[in-house]
Amino acid sequence: MIAMGQGAQAALILYYDFNDASDPAIAVDSSGHGNTGEVLVATYTADGGGVTGVAGDRAMDFGVFNNDAYINVPTAASGA
């Protein structure tokens, strides 16, 4: 129960910045909780292809609409 005047606290359970493309088949969880994602159809952009454009910044390219590209998170079934 939340007491009057207190808000619910959100906790970060997973976070993908997509900067680690060392294994293009996985998305590394940067939250520290180990919720590694499985990359399906999507691909990492080239180095510097992220929003800032600087070296080390990447993004995930999910391609065209409705092409079945996604990140599968196996730990989602257990609460991640």
Side-chain angles (χ1 to χ4, degrees), residues 60-80:
M60 185 61 64
D61 183 353
F62 290 93
V64 298
F65 176 74
N66 207 21
N67 71 347
D68 296 324
Y70 64 100
I71 304 295
N72 180 46
V73 182
T75 56
S78 61

